[in-house]
Structures are given as structure tokens and as C-alpha cells.
Amino acid sequence: MAIGWYLVVSALIFCIGAGGVLTRRNPLVVLLCLELMLNGANLALVAFARMHGGEDGQIFALIVMVVAACEVTVGLGLIVAIYRRQLPIDVDQLHELNG
Amino acid sequence: MSPTTFGWLILLCPLVGIVVIGLGHRRLVGRSAGWIATLAIGLSFAFSVAALVALLGRSPEHRQVTSTLWNYAASVGLDAKLSILVDPLSIFMALVVSGVSTLIHLYSVAYLWEDRGFVRYFAYMNYFVFSMLLLVMAGNFLLLIIGWAFVGAASYMLISFWYRRTTATRAGLKAFVINVVGDVGLVLGTFFIFKHTGTVDFLRTFHAVPHVFAHNSTDLVAGCLLLLVGAFAKSAQVPLHTWLPDAMEGPTPVSALIHAATMVTAGVYLIARMHPLFEQAPTAADVGAIGGGLTLIIAATIAIVQTDLKRVIAYSTMSQIGYMIMGVSAGAYSAGLFHLMTHAFFKALLFMAAGSLIGAMAGVQSLDRMGGFRKAMPFTFACFVVGGLALSGLPPFSGWLSKDDIIGFLDHRGHGFVILGIAGYAGALLTGVYTFRMIFRAFFGEPVAEARELEHGHLAHAEVPRNPLTGEEEDTDVGFPGPGHFIAEREWPMKVAMGTLAVLALVGGALQIPGIDDAVTKFLDPTFADSRLARSQLPTSPAWVGLIIGAVIALVGIAIAYALWVRSPATPVTLRERLRPVHTFLSNKWYFDELIDLVVVRPALLIGRFAESVLDRIVVGGTITGGTVGAVRAGSAAVRRWQTGFLRYYAAAIVVGTFGVSLYFLISST
Amino acid sequence: MSAVLFFIAAIGAITGAIGVVALRNPFYSVLALVCHLIALAALFLLLRAEFVAAAQVVVYAGAVMVLYVFVVAYVGGGDEELAGGSGLRILGPLFALALAIELCIAMLGSALKGISSHGAPYVLGFGTPKHIGTLFLTKYLFPFELASLLLMVAAIGAIVLARRRRGLEYDAEEKSDLAIRTRRPSYTGTMAEAAGVRHAVEAVEQEPDVEIAGTPAGTGRGSGSGDGGGGGQGGW
């Protein structure tokens, strides 16, 4: 398949993830949608690596996976901490960092 | 050693004195601060004598030497250097200043003992002497202005020395403000002159003046008039004279030093030094002479009705300086400076004697409460008489020769100056009257209680210390005069100082006897070599005629005083009743204070109030500051509304932003 | 053959993505993401990125998703309404759609030659662990080390964020004990008061809690004795 197909799929996955981030209220699901976006980017990177013939894109994708893992760790830690304080698990109601 | 080395040493000694006393003020026990200060000034005097000898060792053409330590700023046409000019005039002034200062320091060691501010006093006094020496030894306008300003500061610090006394602090402020007016005049005058000559160095300026300025050119006249403003403010001439009587709030030695012998003579020195400028702008010189003449008369008339002992002497100072200013403005340089020297002697002597008398009166200064001290204080009485005779101008005292030297020169110059000469004689008559009025009232007549106590050997003490002017109660802690009262008969430093000055007042005139030896004129000749007026010296016989007239007038004045205050003491009282309006006018000091208040102080207050209520509060505070604050606050409130705290809105903003950026790149790449 | 595989994997990935976004129950969303990740791994294999595909399955689907499952189980989270009440309910999908269309236009309308190709000439060993490892340890050593550091930092951060403070009674008293009471001078205020968010509270003059253990409060109050600052405020 031409590389362009992979890129279109990557774009679709990215935008579906973006829509999810904007729409969902449960922070867990927001993080999941964030994962979707990262995966979309990964796909694009690997596609371009194949296009150019060098593995640099794949290295990049692996690093992105590392970063995603870290971010998930910290994010889930936050959510656990929020849950422990008996606050609602809802991004619309966690808005004290304002002004 | 060269004269300039001595010049620097002259300046160094009081500076070292200040540092030692200032830094070690906690550790100096007893009177050591006083002795250190006296020693410093004494050394300075010794170096002045050495500089004199060194200068005399040179031929007269080489007697104007400058020495530069370093450059402050030698750029863009300004040659500001730290340089002194050692020439006959500056050494003359340095001798007078350091000599009289040494004696006054010696006097103060005894007079201010038991005052809590003893050490502070000597630090200030050394600082003053340093500034005055800097002023007279300055080799360019820059150092002159620096010395001028320092002297004003020292005067302020010393007038308000007893700083818890409200009258003293007010007087200090008044003196300082008027002095600053003079400073402004001085600086502006310097600028007017610098604008054309392009140099601030004295010798270079004086050489350039005939080439750069036309005779009586406007800029030069303006510059010289501004210099006169400075001179008048410093020397307390009308109309900038109102600070001098109030300055008597300071301790008596301060009055002796600053307001009799040295600082107030700075104006005379200035005019003498700037004589090439003044001779090229005769208009300004005439203004100076007229100012001096007016002050002479006005001050003498006020002195006749004063009841405070020190204020009589203060107005006398004002009057005598009027003579000097008149003299140097008209071209009688050596005469005016000679009178400066002799005046320093007898005026300081009079102030010291007054201090002794005030000590005997336990702080009271009013002539109304004094009387009959002749038997109780013989030494003080003798000093008063010597000083008074010198001041009135009786032969063979020094004041006779110097004062009549000036008047003689004025008569010799002719034209309008004769009027000034006649004014001088009138002033001399009044001088005799008021001086001996003071002496007769204080020492003749029925002895008052303090005098009788003193005759029995007991010095009077006031139970409650009081302000001599207002009578309000004080204490003797820091900031007020100490509890001790000292008189010359009991304190040897005071006796030595007064005795030396009395001798000098008696024989000092020998330096300039017309026809016999004109030592002062000859010595000062190199400085005034380029002067047209100084060349025309008075021939000997007219000079002697003038001297004899002066002596006669002085005798007449003393006789009037004797008749009024010794023979028939009731007459002055009836005279006062008959001439009540005149008396009121004179005792209110010709209403100068009220005039200045009306013309200067009230408008300034109005402007200040307007500035505060309108400009500061409304314009700056409300509009400029408040407006800026309001704008920033509104801006940040507007921005703050975007920080809602909702995560999804932030994410939406990012998505929209990404969309926008990629759209831009998309479009720009086609 | 590869085209068929491509379409199956692509459709699986997109379906999984839509499932993540659309399913109400967060647990079902997690499962949908797992499907998506496996489909994506297939796509990676098609692109000859063997190692990345394996890492995707093992790390992402294996470890990260398991972590997610744990947290969802702990936190719970039942069904929720879809973005109730805010404008983003409609605008969100719209923005995403706009972005998608734009990206597609960018790609399909662009003159990038390589997109319409099938890729560069095939190199033996492309995408194998051997090649990836070589690259990691030579050309990309620095990012490799940084990534490990980042992982460590994240792990510590997560522990710090979610730890218990003081046993099981922690939740009840935690708020009051953590606040350090200090004496605040009466003429100062807090940032909240300055911004106008809170009204100025009367400054409570509190005795500071800082005490030197064992010193009675009165010793410091004497004047002139050699004892200096015993007790919080004594004896100036």
C-alpha cells in the first residue's frame, strides 16, 4: 500500500482522539483519548521511516512510547490522589486552578 | 619646600583632624578632642606661615603658583581639576582664617566643656575650617563652589548645634536656605563666565577676560551680578542678610569664628579674587559698592536699638562687612582685605568677651538685665574696651587704620563714590555709638545681682536653664547647652585666646600705616598686578587727613554714647518714647523679615500647596499612576477571564490553534 | 495480500478508536483501546517495524493498559452522560472533524512524492531489534539515557503523588495537620485577598507553634539575664 494510506489512517486516529479529549468528562477516558493521539503520531512516524528507508522514525516512535508510559503513570497517580480526597472524578468539576 | 606643598599641608591638617575626631569620638576622653582639634588648626597655621615665608622667598612675578593633584574631568572643553592656587591673596586669607581659628578653638576648649556635644562640636569646627581653607585656596571655580557649599553646610550644622532648641534649628534652616540662594547665584555666575572663557581655572580665566569680554558686556555683567548674589548671601548683605542675626543661636565661639571672622568674609574674598571680572564690568562693581554702602547704614541703625548682646555684635559685623564689600567693589583691594584682617581680630575678641559675659550671666544675653560688671570682670571689661575702641576706629588701634583706609580710597576715587565715603563716615559715627552703648550698659551703672555675686567670688547659676530668646525651659542634656558656665577670669584657655587677640587688635594696624609701611599692599601686589584701580593708590597726606577725620568722628560717637548711657541714663528712655515709630521700625529690623516672608515665602508655600493638592494628587496620582494602574488592571482582568480552569476548554483552544497554524502553512505552501 | 491485511488492520484501529471515544463505561473504553493497540501493531508489522510492533504489544498493550485496568477498577467510574451542558458537546467533535479534514487535504493535496510510493528500497534487517539496538547505543545514545531517566522520575513522581501520609486515619485529619500555623503580621494579606477573591480576614494573632522542646515559656522573658532566646518570643 502506498504510504499515503497509512498517513490518512494516522490522521483519522489523531482526530478521533482529539475529539475524545474535547468531549469526555471522565479524566480516565480523557487520558485514554490522549493515548489515541499519541498512537496516531506513532503510526505517522513509522510510516515516514518506511518511506525514507531509515530507522530514525522508529527510534522516535519508541521514545514517544516511553514518554506516553511516563505520562500515563503520573496522570493515573493524580487521578488516584484525587479519588482519595473524595473529590468528584469529573474534569468539569475540577477547576480550582483558575483566575 | 615649595609653597604649594605647604598649601596642600594646610588643607590636610584639618582634614586629618576631622577624621581622627569623627572616627574616634567614643574613645576620646576628657578634653582630648578639643586639644586635637586645636592642634590640627595650629599646625595649619604653622604651615600657612611656612607658605608665607616660601612665597616671600620668591620674586614677586613668581608668587602665583598653582598645583594640581589630579584631574576630575578633562573632557569636552571642561578642565575640572583638583588644583590649588597659592598666591599672596590666598595665603593672606589662610593666615587670617587659620590663625583666628586656632585661638577660637582654644577658647572653645574651655567654653564648651560640660556640654554633651563637646566632641561633635570640634569635629564640626575642624570641618568648617577645612572648608574655608578649601574655599580660599581653590585654584578653580569648581573647588571654590565646593568649598562654598561645604562652608554653608558647616554653618548650618554649627548654628543648629543645640538641636533640641527649636529656635536654633529654625535659624540653621534659615541660614542654609539663604546660603543656597547664594550658591545658585555663584554657580550660575560661573557658568556665564565659563560660557565665554571656556575654562574654570582662575589664572586662565583672568588672563582671558580682557580678550573675551568687551567692557561692560551684558554676559559679564550678568555673571558678575550673579557672583554678587552669592557674595551677598554669604556675607549677609542686604537683602540676603536676614539669616545672620538669627545665626546667633549657635554657641558663641561659633559666632566668633563663622559669623565674624571667616565665613562672612568669603564674599569679600570672592570679589577680591574676581577683581579682573569686576573691573571689566564696572556696572556690577558699582552695584556691589552700593549694596555694601546700604548694608553699612542699615545695619548700624538697627544695632543701636538691639537689646540682645550678641545681636548687637552681629549687626556690627554686617555693617563692617558692608565696609569691606564697598571697599573691594570700588577697587580698594588691599584696604578692604586689611580691614578684613583687623576686623577678624577685634570682632572675634568682642564675641569671645561677650561669651565670657554671658557665662557670668548664666546664659542670659539681654542687655536689659546686665549692668555694672566692671569690678567683677576686669579682664573681660578690658577686652571689651580694646575691641570696642578698635571697632569704633580710634587711634592707635588697628580698626582705625583699616576702616579709614577704605573711606579714604573711596573719597579719592571721586564721582559717586564720595557719597559712599560720606556714608562710611556716618556709619563710623553710629558704630561708635552702638559699640559703646553696649559696653556702657553692660559694665557701668549699678551692678546687677549676678555681678554682685561674682564680686564675692561666686559664679551665678540659673536654677532652670532657659532659652535666652524665648525664655522657655530647657534641660542640660544632649542637644542643649551644658550646665557649666565659664568666664575668662577663671579659664586660662579663654584668657590666652582673648589676650592674643587683644594684642593683635591693638598693634595689628602697624602693618599698613600710610606712608610708613604699606606691608599689606606690597604683599598683595602680585595678585592685583593686573588691576587698573589698585594702581591708583592714595597719596600719603590725603590719607592722613582722612585718618584724622575718622578718629574725630569715632570720638564724637563715643562721647554721644557716654552722654546718653552713663551721664543721664533716663535720656535714652525719653528719646525712645518721643521717637517711638522710628524705634519700632528699627527694632523690627527695617521689616526685612516680613518683606521676604511676603514676597518669597508665601508664594512658595502657595505653589507648594497647589502642587501637592492638584498636581500631585490629581494629575500624577490620579491620572498618570491611577490611569496606568487602571489600564493594567482592566487588561489583566480581561485576560484572566480566559483562565477558567476547565481542562476541556484549554484542550479545545489547543486544537483550534493547531488547526489555525496548519491552515496557515497549508495556504502559504501553495 | 498486504492490501487486505492493511484494510483489516486499519478498520480495526479506527473502530477501536471510535469505541474509546464513544463507549460510556470507562472499562469498555480501556478494552477498546487494547483492540486498537493490537490493530496498530499489525499496521506496524506491515510497515516492516518489527521491534516497534513488539514493543507496542508488550509495553503498551501489556503494561500500560494493565495499569489502566487497575486504576479503573480502583476508581470505579460508572456510566456518565456525554459532555452534559457545555458548548463543547457539539463543538468538540466539530473541531476534531475540521482538523481531520484539514490534515487529509494537506496530505492528499500535497506534492510529496514519497507518499504515493510504496516506500524506499527494502534493506535486509530493516526494523529488526539488531538495527534498532545499534542505533540506540550509537547515534541516539543521549535520548536513550534521557528516556531512562524520565522513566525513573515518572515512577518516583507517581509514588509521591499517590502515597498515603500517615496510616489509615490520614484522610480525616490530613487537611488540618498539614497547614503550618505561623504568625502573620496584621498589616499583610494573602494573594487571594489582594486579587479580591477573598475578603480580608482579621489577622488572627496566633502564638506560633514552634516551641523548643522542654523549655518553659517564661524563661525568655527576663531582661538582662544571660539567657537569650529561650521560647519563641522571649526577651528582646
Side-chain angles (χ1 to χ4, degrees), chain B residues 210-224:
Chain B
H211 312 293
V212 174
F213 288 109
H215 189 78
N216 245 347
S217 79
T218 343
D219 263 351
L220 185 61
V221 170
C224 288

Side-chain angles (χ1 to χ4, degrees), chain B residues 415-664:
Chain B
H415 311 292
F417 287 99
V418 181
I419 302 176
L420 289 175
I422 296 174
Y425 281 128
L429 180 69
L430 289 171
T431 307
V433 174
Y434 66 67
T435 312
F436 276 86
R437 161 183 178 264
M438 172 177 69
I439 296 176
F440 290 144
R441 281 187 72 165
F443 289 97
F444 285 67
E446 272 300 309
V448 292
E450 289 89 348
R452 265 178 274 128
E453 273 189 60
L454 196 52
E455 283 171 32
H456 296 300
H458 177 252
L459 194 58
H461 272 284
E463 324 85 45
V464 176
R466 285 186 182 277
N467 184 325
L469 195 63
T470 60
E472 61 180 285
E473 273 186 37
E474 306 175 334
D475 58 62
T476 56
D477 208 351
V478 70
F480 277 129
H485 296 291
F486 303 97
I487 58 174
E489 282 75 7
R490 294 196 180 179
E491 305 287 333
W492 69 264
M494 292 166 75
K495 236 187 207 166
V496 167
M498 289 162 72
T500 317
L501 282 174
V503 168
L504 282 171
L506 187 56
V507 305
L511 280 174
Q512 178 109 328
I513 305 176
I516 298 183
D517 72 341
D518 291 308
V520 174
T521 317
K522 285 209 202 91
F523 176 63
L524 289 175
D525 198 42
T527 309
F528 298 106
D530 54 353
S531 158
R532 284 165 288 171
L533 293 171
R535 293 272 145 234
S536 61
Q537 273 307 323
L538 202 56
T540 317
S541 12
W544 278 104
V545 170
L547 282 171
I548 294 170
I549 298 176
V552 167
I553 290 179
L555 272 171
V556 170
I558 299 174
I560 295 174
Y562 185 76
L564 281 178
W565 278 285
V566 179
R567 274 294 178 73
S568 50
T571 325
V573 184
T574 25
L575 269 178
R576 195 199 315 168
E577 292 308 313
R578 284 245 202 96
L579 300 169
R580 183 144 281 272
V582 179
H583 184 263
T584 320
F585 181 68
L586 290 179
S587 3
N588 280 320
K589 303 163 267 176
W590 289 52
Y591 292 112
F592 265 105
D593 275 318
E594 287 77 0
L595 183 66
I596 291 180
D597 184 57
L598 192 65
V599 172
V600 176
V601 176
R602 296 239 179 122
L605 279 175
L606 269 172
I607 294 175
R609 259 182 229 125
F610 171 72
E612 193 246 342
S613 61
V614 174
L615 284 180
D616 212 29
R617 202 176 299 163
I618 298 180
V619 174
V620 175
T623 316
I624 300 180
T625 317
T628 323
V629 165
V632 170
R633 208 177 269 160
S636 56
V639 173
R640 221 186 299 130
R641 245 184 282 120
W642 287 91
Q643 306 282 327
T644 52
F646 288 109
L647 179 71
R648 295 189 295 135
Y649 291 173
Y650 296 165
I654 295 175
V655 170
V656 171
T658 315
F659 177 82
V661 168
S662 2
L663 193 65
Y664 166 73

Side-chain angles (χ1 to χ4, degrees), chain A residues 66-85:
Chain A
V66 168
V67 170
C70 299
E71 161 240 326
V72 159
T73 314
V74 174
L76 290 179
L78 269 175
I79 294 177
V80 165
I82 292 174
Y83 179 72
R84 283 248 186 81
R85 276 170 184 61

Side-chain angles (χ1 to χ4, degrees), chain B residues 259-293:
Chain B
H259 306 125
T262 42
M263 187 181 96
V264 289
T265 57
V268 181
Y269 165 76
L270 181 74
I271 301 178
R273 177 62 84 192
M274 305 291 156
H275 67 269
L277 299 166
F278 279 96
E279 284 185 11
Q280 190 78 340
T283 318
D286 293 343
V287 170
I290 294 172

Side-chain angles (χ1 to χ4, degrees), chain C residues 183-202:
Chain C
R183 179 185 286 252
R184 188 161 61 81
S186 59
Y187 50 85
T188 59
T190 59
M191 286 291 282
E193 290 159 18
V197 176
R198 291 221 174 84
H199 298 292
V201 183
E202 304 223 333

